[in-house]
């Protein structure tokens, strides 16, 4: 059975009050439509057709890597018209599932259930029962509870409006039949639209029994119309993620104050303090402790790493037992080995710092290779940039760099070397020796401070 998925994403999203097409607004750091594309992929869709319109090429252009057929719906004449535009792309499919670019949290499990519950018939609907069904298409059933049709709110009689079972919009149908029904629907209704929902009545007239399934939660079929609704779904999504982490053995100081925009994997007994933001692919090893207000992006932390408050780690690797922060910033291509200490107001960029080395205070380490057991004193700066090019600083194992040293790259400090505080090191410093550049200290005998002249 080849399953095709059609995703409707042509709507304007007026209530977003935005120049950005609605389906490109982010949820958990990714466009709404990306979440729906993921669900389609998780189902093993053999073909994905996305119907776009408002915002033009912006929507397809946002997904250069996605294997989908992008179908433009120039005029938005209704959901039925929209699906019809994508039917040529479904030519090879056995069945077609219709999803929505603005219904981001739909669960593949629910869709699998809908598809398998519909195996024996040509049409299946995902429906739900709401206390307040206002705005939704109502599911009209006969006395023996068989689905007869869907009536849109605007076209419904008072009796039909009282029905609380509603259409989520998600349907699955046998492809040939769907194509035929879609060609037969008209727009003789209050909104002058071609309603996808009219295929139900046509199917029933053809003797088809319509299967129905309900979603697990209302959030998974919730559509987004404005930014407040995105924010509500964002909180729901983040809460779910936090629950999963906790059940998997991670302690969260406050499950409401963690935001994951990407994928986060924690090994056992990790502690995450409040206000952590994770972006991209983040891996945290066992027994790590992450302090409050940190940002971790595309990084890997080995076991037992401690990240203290207000630190930012991006594109870096930190090995077991290292301690980072507070107020540290590790930038891309930084590798911090076992047991290192990177302290407050230290920025590290594209540098390798070997085991047990310490850069504890107020330093910039860029384009550097630092050996094991090095102590970099407070205020040390690698002067890696000459205004045109970047240059490398090498510091050998066991070296001691005095405070407030400027290392003018390219430069090498030998193993075991000591650099006197306040030096500007612009030539290589030999191993095991003391090197320093320092103006001799002088005291001017009898010198007096100027006094204010009286006028
Ligand atoms: C639709 C259903 C209704 C269901 C509700 C659930 C129809 C006729 N009605 O109503 O039964 O209860 O969803 O939310 O299907 N779209 C296009 N092109 C179009 C028209 C719509 O891409 O020409 C997209 C919209 O961007 C939107 C989705 O399809 O994402 C639904 O369209 P909308 O007009 O909002 O349908 P509803 O009135 O919500
Ligand atoms: Ca809608």
């Amino acid at each position: 059975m080849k399953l095709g998925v059609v995703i409707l994403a042509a709507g304007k999203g007026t209530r977003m009050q935005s120049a950005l097409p609605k389906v490109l607004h982010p949820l958990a750091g990714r466009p709404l439509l990306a979440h729906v594309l993921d669900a389609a992929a998780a189902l093993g869709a053999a073909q994905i057709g996305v119907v776009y319109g408002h915002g033009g090429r912006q929507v397809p252009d946002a997904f250069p890597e996605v294997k989908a057929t992008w179908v433009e719906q120039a005029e938005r004449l209704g959901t039925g018209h929209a699906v019809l535009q994508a039917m040529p792309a479904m030519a090879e499919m056995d069945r077609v599932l219709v999803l929505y670019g603005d219904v981001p949290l739909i669960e593949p499990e629910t869709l699998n259930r809908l598809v398998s519950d519909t195996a024996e018939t040509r049409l299946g609907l995902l429906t739900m029962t709401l206390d307040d069904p206002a705005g939704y298409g109502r599911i009209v059933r006969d006395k023996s509870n068989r689905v007869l049709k869907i009536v849109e709110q605007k076209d419904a009689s008072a009796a039909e409006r009282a029905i609380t079972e509603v259409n989520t919009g998600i349907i699955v149908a046998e492809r040939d039949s769907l194509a035929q029904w879609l060609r037969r629907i008209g727009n003789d209704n209050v909104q002058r639209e071609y309603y996808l929902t009219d295929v139900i009545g046509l199917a029933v007239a053809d003797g088809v029994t319509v299967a129905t399934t309900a979603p697990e939660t209302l959030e998974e079929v919730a559509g987004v119309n404005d930014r407040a609704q995105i924010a509500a779904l964002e909180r729901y999504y983040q809460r779910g993620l936090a629950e999963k982490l906790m059940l998997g053995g991670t302690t969260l100081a406050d499950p409401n104050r963690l935001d994951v925009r990407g994928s986060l994997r924690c090994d056992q007994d990790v502690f995450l303090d409040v206000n952590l933001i994770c972006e991209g692919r983040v891996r945290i090893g066992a027994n790590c402790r992450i302090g409050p207000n940190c940002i971790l992006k595309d990084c890997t932390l080995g076991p037992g790493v401690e990240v203290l408050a207000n630190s930012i780690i991006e594109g870096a690797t930190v090995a077991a037992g290292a301690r980072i922060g507070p107020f540290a910033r590790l930038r891309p291509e930084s590798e911090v080995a076992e047991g290192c200490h990177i302290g407050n107001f230290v920025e590290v960029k594209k540098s390798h710092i070997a085991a047990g080395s310490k850069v504890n205070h107020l330093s910039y380490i860029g384009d550097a290779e630092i050996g094991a057991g090095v102590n970099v004193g407070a205020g040390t700066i690698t002067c890696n940039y000459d205004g045109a090019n970047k240059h490398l600083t090498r510091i050998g194992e066991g070296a001691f760099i005095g405070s407030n040293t400027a290392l003018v790259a390219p430069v090498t400090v030998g193993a075991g070397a000591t650099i006197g505080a306040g030096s500007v090191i612009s030539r290589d410093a030999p191993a095991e020796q003391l090197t320093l550049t320092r103006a001799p200290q002088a005291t001017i005998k009898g010198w007096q401070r100027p006094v204010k002249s009286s006028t």
Side-chain angles (χ1 to χ4, degrees), residues 8 10-11 73 76-79 82 100 102 136-137 152 167-168 195 197:
L8 302 192
Q73 186 193 22
R76 273 152 317 275
L77 302 179
T79 47
Y100 299 84
D102 57 2
Y136 289 91
E152 291 304 299
N167 175 29
T168 63
Y195 290 161
T197 45

Side-chain angles (χ1 to χ4, degrees), residues 206-219:
D206 281 357
V208 172
T209 304
V210 180
T212 58
T213 301
E216 286 291 325
T217 65
L218 296 183
E219 285 84 359

Side-chain angles (χ1 to χ4, degrees), residues 8-12 22 51 73 75-82 100-102 135-138 150-152 166-169 191 193-197 221 225:
L8 302 192
K12 185 157 190 279
K22 176 163 75 177
V51 181
Q73 186 193 22
E75 275 187 295
R76 273 152 317 275
L77 302 179
T79 47
H81 177 260
Y100 299 84
D102 57 2
Y136 289 91
R138 308 297 204 280
I150 296 180
V151 182
E152 291 304 299
V166 302
N167 175 29
T168 63
Q191 304 187 77
E193 280 182 16
Y194 295 87
Y195 290 161
L196 173 61
T197 45
V221 292
N225 294 303

Side-chain angles (χ1 to χ4, degrees), residues 231-245:
L233 286 189
E234 176 84 35
R235 284 308 103 209
Y236 172 80
Y237 176 93
Q238 294 297 347
R239 182 70 202 201
L241 231 134
E243 303 281 344
K244 267 187 217 138
L245 278 170

Side-chain angles (χ1 to χ4, degrees), residues 45 52 81 157 169 261 278 321 388 442:
Y52 70 98
H81 177 260
S157 65
R261 302 167 189 161
C278 292

